[in-house]
Amino acid sequence: MINSVHSDHAELRFPSLAGDITQKGYEKKRSKLIGAYLPQPPTANGAAVVRCRLQHSEGAPRRTFRSAHIGVCDVREAAARERVASTAGNRPLFYFRFGVDQALPQERRAPVTPSSASRYHRRRSSGSRDERYRSDVHTEAVQAALAKHKERKMAVPMPSKRRSLVVQTSMDAYTPPDTSSGSEDEGSVQGDSQGTPTSSQGSINMEHWISQAIHGSTTSTTSSSSTQSGGSGAAHRLADVMAQTHIENHSAPPDVTTYTSEHSIQVERPQGSTGSRTAPKYGNAELMETGDGVPVSSRVSAKIQQLVNTLKRPKRPPLREFFVDDFEELLEVQQPDPNQPKPEGAQMLAMRGEQLGVVTNWPPSLEAALQRWGTISPKAPCLTTMDTNGKPLYILTYGKLWTRSMKVAYSILHKLGTKQEPMVRPGDRVALVFPNNDPAAFMAAFYGCLLAEVVPVPIEVPLTRKDAGSQQIGFLLGSCGVTVALTSDACHKGLPKSPTGEIPQFKGWPKLLWFVTESKHLSKPPRDWFPHIKDANNDTAYIEYKTCKDGSVLGVTVTRTALLTHCQALTQACGYTEAETIVNVLDFKKDVGLWHGILTSVMNMMHVISIPYSLMKVNPLSWIQKVCQYKAKVACVKSRDMHWALVAHRDQRDINLSSLRMLIVADGANPWSISSCDAFLNVFQSKGLRQEVICPCASSPEALTVAIRRPTDDSNQPPGRGVLSMHGLTYGVIRVDSEEKLSVLTVQDVGLVMPGAIMCSVKPDGVPQLCRTDEIGELCVCAVATGTSYYGLSGMTKNTFEVFPMTSSGAPISEYPFIRTGLLGFVGPGGLVFVVGKMDGLMVVSGRRHNADDIVATALAVEPMKFVYRGRIAVFSVTVLHDERIVIVAEQRPDSTEEDSFQWMSRVLQAIDSIHQVGVYCLALVPANTLPKTPLGGIHLSETKQLFLEGSLHPCNVLMCPHTCVTNLPKPRQKQPEIGPASVMVGNLVSGKRIAQASGRDLGQIEDNDQARKFLFLSEVLQWRAQTTPDHVLYTLLNCRGAIANSLTCVQLHKRAEKIAVMLMERGHLQDGDHVALVYPPGIDLIAAFYGCLYAGCVPITVRPPHPQNIATTLPTVKMIVEVSRSACLMTTQLICKLLRSREAAAAVDVRTWPLILDTDDLPKKRPAQICKPCNPDTLAYLDFSVSTTGMLAGVKMSHAATSAFCRSIKLQCELYPSREVAICLDPYCGLGFVLWCLCSVYSGHQSILIPPSELETNPALWLLAVSQYKVRDTFCSYSVMELCTKGLGSQTESLKARGLDLSRVRTCVVVAEERPRIALTQSFSKLFKDLGLHPRAVSTSFGCRVNLAICLQGTSGPDPTTVYVDMRALRHDRVRLVERGSPHSLPLMESGKILPGVRIIIANPETKGPLGDSHLGEIWVHSAHNASGYFTIYGDESLQSDHFNSRLSFGDTQTIWARTGYLGFLRRTELTDANGERHDALYVVGALDEAMELRGMRYHPIDIETSVIRAHKSVTECAVFTWTNLLVVVVELDGSEQEALDLVPLVTNVVLEEHYLIVGVVVVVDIGVIPINSRGEKQRMHLRDGFLADQLDPIYVAYNM
């Protein structure tokens, strides 16, 4: 014993040995240890003592104790436990705490005693958080959970924001709103002190924190944010969400400056850093090895590395192993946890309320009651209304109410419409539109309707034409057939008016006649008219509107019998007596406010003091003052009203609440109201408030009042409480919480079942089966006093109002139907009803149920510094990838910094993870006052969700955590070893399928009168044409106005080429075979220079000239090509010549190292002595340099033989003759574009009309007008040209038609490309210009690549291009699976034109090099006379070249030499026939191997992901994706305001998850035009990647998904 005392004493003296302890913790610990040796204080009336709950966490540095000043558990408590346990099977289900509940946890040091209670408000008077969710217990649990996280820190990159997005706004910039709050129907009042953090809240200066963290001290007060840690911005602390395990090794990722372990703090300082330097916002840009083994020094990649490190940590639920079926990627199905709690109790019994006693003088109907009081006690006060100063504005007596209601009834029936055709007849529905500050007018109108036997539909006042949810109310009015709206004078004046003074029709509303019910507008009924007052019957009395989870509004019909019975039940339950005074703070148009303050009050001739919302905003204590002033017996409030009273309460001397016998808490069913009730009682007990007065009630629009706690005179009968495990609740099971858990939900009872009602709870989904006693279900009620239907919706009515609960054997428990209340809960011992949440707030994530309110409570408990603006926070779930994902949207305080926001978000994630064991998918912060509001100022949840999903929420901070939440992705694919060659080859079959090979027509067998065939070299063809047809025009160049800028005949071209050859020989002193760079704009000069080089025996290289406005980025590429191609000379125009030597050029490159520059604007006058003739057709004709989409600069060698074969192949495919005209709108620098621009006309003799694509920027119609004007049959363009026309001329087709544009002669319009055909673009182009005569079959694509500049080209003969639909999921597994159009995951692929004559194609496996079967995906290999003969490289990297240009199959035909294109595709034999009568083989190109991304073992093509992303939001104009260290990076161009940038992050993440089963790692939002595009219109994704990693994109926003 003595030893134990010594050890206890030591524990107090040296607390730091067990980790740091706060003063508060010390106090608690002290009282805990000493308490055991003190005599027990007598407990109230011998009731059981509250058990001591030790808050302790594994290895946590701090322990917090709760309510430790109360002694240890004694025998009496054990006995109480026994009693409870014995009532419910063999295990305790809940502990109820009896006696005065002293265990109110406090955030301060001294235990709560009555003397200290008066100080309570000071501590709580900062800010006004939404108090339905305020719970000290919970706040403490959350802080403890966060403290637990402190041990394992890991840095997370903060998003990068452009400066213009980070607007520091002061508080003054915002006007405080009228209304605000955290849930659908709440409002909140601005407390007098706007949350300035006081020292007691432990707000710690940031620099101080960082230096503390770095110098090794970790003490801070418990209530301060215990996980702020130093280092690179305290905001980067998200990663703990990932962690389930302790990370043992303490090696820090790049951006961590502190790493806290249990014993000591190790500080890792980056080299050269001194003292307590704070790291830069972007993380330390240290040199690090990336996943590709490339050292990168840049802040962006440092952040990505951080993210990668974070994501390497194990995810919580591991993916289960299973086999992937051949095609179906199965999504992971969440397996039930074998250890999950299951209900074990017996089946519950339905609980019957007391009998509804029939009192002799109860009126036969409510109208009869009104008549009785209006005639016998006309002077008795019925309703007192208040102005905004709290002065009585008006007293409505029962006499006035009766006469006024009569007037209203008479006017409705007789003064609207004509005598023959009245507008309103008995039974019709009428809207009641009254503001919240005019209950008297509402009451007269409501009772007027009852007397006239019309059905009132009370609704909110529409403030604007586009109010959130107002449209839905319009639908309700329309479906109820409402044509008349009753309103007050003031309200009528306040409605929005059109210029003519008419009230406009609100969006979605029916046309209404607005009728003002003020006395002066009503006519007195004649003496002989009297309303027909009947006994209550089953006619509808009124319709109460209800807003559903999805925002739709339903009308619940209540019959006259139900109305009367409900009033009787409330009268009996609440013990109402005549002439009692009741204070009502609630909305009198619906729910508890209507039932008590308008209906039951009249039945009992009570006096209602109505407190308007506007008065509560000015003076939150007003309702308490009115209770004192009128000695009111009853008050109807919500927990927020109690909280505001606490906030505003300042030792008011004259408050006395002893007159109250009943304080009805309308939202008492919300579990989070308990803390407001406790706190209120705690403060006002000294002012005469008795504990038994607080009466929470549960209600729902369908079942009206479900349960209410009865007022008792016996103060010894304490209310029931349950402390339930939140983990158990997520499985729908009631478990008393075990001691050390943080995640508990404390619930209070809402009293007993209503008189005359039966209640049971049924399983929330599926068959309405009775729950067990320890199971949470939906409460169902069977009673007369309930709603009867949703107006006009019989199907929904059946599901809600006609439920027959079954026993486990399947027998219904009653012949009468029950009504679903929409409340989740259980019936506890003694028939007490407990509610733990609402069906509407239920979110089922991976099979576990979470309540939105609980998540809100945890989020609000995180920040004692009041980060969330007035507690305005919305929680909802969105369905992504077949599961619900939790989204939290909160308004942040106007003065909060980026750092605050991120700090808060990271801590919310940690807290929710600890307490609810669920991941948050998205956290979005919006500026204060921007979320849509309900009429009472709460957050309009469904509207918020709608804005989020359509990308119109405009958040200022977003954090997505898909890596943590999404655990049902398909298993990553394991590559299977290939089958060996022996087993598969049988003749021409592979694995039982025809080998995928195809060829164009055989060049040798085609008989044509091709004169040019007899010449081996193009230079000879030109000389021959200059002799035979000297004046035949070969080239016509058009300017931007469509006029001929220049043209060349055969002889002109020949003569110009001769002069250039002389220049090269004489001025350039070039030898045979020297390389010459031709730097010309698209035009005639380029062509002449090319043939001049051939005449001189030189090898030309065409190079795009630098852009004069953008020399810095374009000139280095020119320089690089000139150097890599080893050009001995550079030929150009005089203008470019000056540009290359200009000052700007000198800034970009070293101008002294240019080779000799020749300006061809002034040419020598003489002819060469001889024209060079190559000795061998296999010698080099020209070099073709191009930058591939992966950013590689590759030059290929084209021999003379290949060049001639190429021209011949195109001539045959397109049937080109000298009489033809062809329009070409392409860049003439590489590939097929260059061949068509410079070579084909000389070979075939046709006239080429040249249109430089750059001219289309000034005149988009130039190309099409030229095609029409010259009556061209064949034209070639690029995707960028087609896109320019589609976008630029979309709205001008009519005016172009008027200008005579006619495209009906076009036979082929070929898009020259090196990629998968862009089917959407070609189709929209065809559709757009169909009206101008363009035949849809005319548009087709070609396909070429580096090894062969044109493999396919549609040409004139041959079948039309075909389109197939393939399954995108199978494609990821390198399989082709054909599906029907429109089937899910289908991807349209268009054939890439017809295979050119002389070309053979085979599909091979890129890894094994074996041939593949028909319709199998593989690499396209090509064999043709016009293949390039190899890469031109300085170092002569033969291995690379031999593989690409000289590959052989590993089995089958192993002799043929093939060139590998580097593109994936497949061949498919179609039903169509070729020109030569064979069945036609179509080639479908899927994408480049270099571009494809390997993710999760599957192959993704960027274009597919990009297509999905572009569809995600209207503001995304372009998108590019790439990977970096296995992270998927998505870059989107935003066409809109920068405020929309953050809207895109969730949408992009959602769409990629849904359609591609991939988690986006980084989302980068940039301006239009940032994604680089090459001349062919292809995205340069690798350039983009390099720019991103070097931080050169100037992004608007970069989001790093967790």
Side-chain angles (χ1 to χ4, degrees), residues 702-905:
E702 293 84 359
L704 311 184
T705 306
V706 175
I708 188 164
R709 197 185 287 171
R710 314 293 196 262
T712 58
D713 296 330
D714 177 14
S715 58
N716 302 333
Q717 187 53 47
R721 300 247 147 139
V723 180
L724 307 180
S725 149
M726 230 172 238
H727 180 72
L729 290 179
T730 62
Y731 293 104
V733 176
I734 304 161
R735 287 287 176 269
V736 175
D737 186 43
S738 51
E739 303 265 314
E740 73 281 357
K741 287 283 169 53
L742 299 171
S743 45
V744 295
L745 183 68
T746 306
V747 287
Q748 61 181 351
D749 71 283
V750 285
L752 302 166
V753 183
M754 291 298 285
I758 303 173
M759 181 190 286
C760 65
S761 76
V762 301
K763 305 214 160 146
D765 28 43
V767 181
Q769 195 181 341
L770 279 185
C771 290
R772 294 169 180 262
T773 48
D774 60 342
E775 193 174 6
I776 300 288
E778 182 175 6
L779 300 178
C780 292
V781 171
C782 174
V784 179
T786 59
T788 48
S789 68
Y790 291 128
Y791 187 88
L793 299 167
S794 51
M796 288 181 75
T797 296
K798 199 164 179 53
N799 291 341
T800 304
F801 293 90
E802 296 167 28
V803 176
F804 291 92
M806 318 243 196
T807 60
S808 50
S809 59
I813 62 168
S814 158
E815 57 191 299
Y816 298 109
F818 279 66
I819 291 171
R820 290 182 184 272
T821 62
L823 300 174
L824 290 168
F826 59 96
V827 180
L832 294 179
V833 179
F834 290 84
V835 175
V836 298
K838 288 198 178 96
M839 285 294 284
D840 271 359
L842 200 61
M843 303 180 291
V844 182
V845 182
S846 314
R848 288 175 58 211
R849 309 198 292 224
H850 301 274
N851 224 289
D853 282 346
D854 301 348
I855 306 271
V856 170
T858 301
L860 286 173
V862 162
E863 201 45 271
M865 331 266 267
K866 310 278 189 295
F867 169 81
V868 180
Y869 180 66
R870 307 180 87 190
R872 292 179 60 79
I873 193 164
V875 172
F876 51 85
S877 65
V878 294
T879 304
V880 181
L881 202 64
H882 313 300
D883 199 1
E884 289 188 42
R885 315 285 176 192
I886 295 178
V887 178
I888 300 180
V889 182
E891 290 187 3
Q892 67 178 33
R893 287 262 303 265
D895 52 356
S896 50
T897 62
E898 290 287 290
E899 194 78 347
D900 295 342
S901 316
F902 230 67
Q903 164 112 12
W904 183 80
M905 296 205 289

Side-chain angles (χ1 to χ4, degrees), residues 948-1074:
F948 173 80
L949 287 174
E950 65 192 28
S952 324
L953 194 61
H954 308 328
C956 47
N957 270 306
V958 161
L959 180 64
M960 300 282 301
C961 306
H963 291 280
T964 0
C965 298
V966 180
T967 52
N968 60 338
L969 287 172
K971 185 168 177 252
R973 171 185 172 211
Q974 307 293 317
K975 287 264 170 69
Q976 299 302 321
E978 291 297 325
I979 306 164
S983 59
V984 291
M985 278 302 288
V986 183
N988 263 0
L989 299 179
V990 184
S991 312
K993 285 200 169 184
R994 191 184 72 82
I995 285 186
Q997 56 185 356
S999 51
R1001 290 178 291 168
D1002 190 344
L1003 275 176
Q1005 292 172 358
I1006 301 172
E1007 288 305 319
D1008 59 343
N1009 51 358
D1010 187 354
Q1011 296 300 312
R1013 253 185 94 180
K1014 55 183 186 280
F1015 302 107
L1016 284 173
F1017 306 107
L1018 267 180
S1019 51
E1020 295 179 321
V1021 178
L1022 177 57
Q1023 292 166 52
W1024 167 69
R1025 288 207 184 279
Q1027 286 164 7
T1028 52
T1029 54
D1031 297 328
H1032 174 64
V1033 177
L1034 286 178
Y1035 295 102
T1036 306
L1037 179 73
L1038 302 184
N1039 62 15
C1040 63
R1041 288 184 302 285
I1044 296 177
N1046 213 332
S1047 65
L1048 271 184
T1049 60
C1050 300
V1051 71
Q1052 285 170 328
L1053 177 57
H1054 169 64
K1055 287 188 171 160
R1056 246 183 95 216
E1058 283 188 321
K1059 290 174 184 170
I1060 289 170
V1062 171
M1063 187 180 193
L1064 283 169
M1065 292 168 190
E1066 294 189 354
R1067 288 195 209 160
H1069 308 295
L1070 295 187
Q1071 307 297 313
D1072 193 4
D1074 277 349

Side-chain angles (χ1 to χ4, degrees), residues 544-573:
E544 182 170 320
Y545 82 87
K546 163 210 167 137
T547 307
C548 300
K549 191 176 182 175
D550 62 358
S552 56
V553 172
L554 309 175
V556 177
T557 58
V558 179
T559 63
R560 288 168 176 256
T561 313
L563 167 65
L564 183 68
T565 314
H566 188 216
C567 290
Q568 293 169 350
L570 284 177
T571 303
Q572 181 172 331

Side-chain angles (χ1 to χ4, degrees), residues 1554-1566:
E1554 284 274 353
E1555 296 184 12
H1556 303 280
Y1557 305 154
L1558 284 179
I1559 294 177
V1560 177
V1562 185
V1563 180
V1564 188
V1565 184
V1566 295

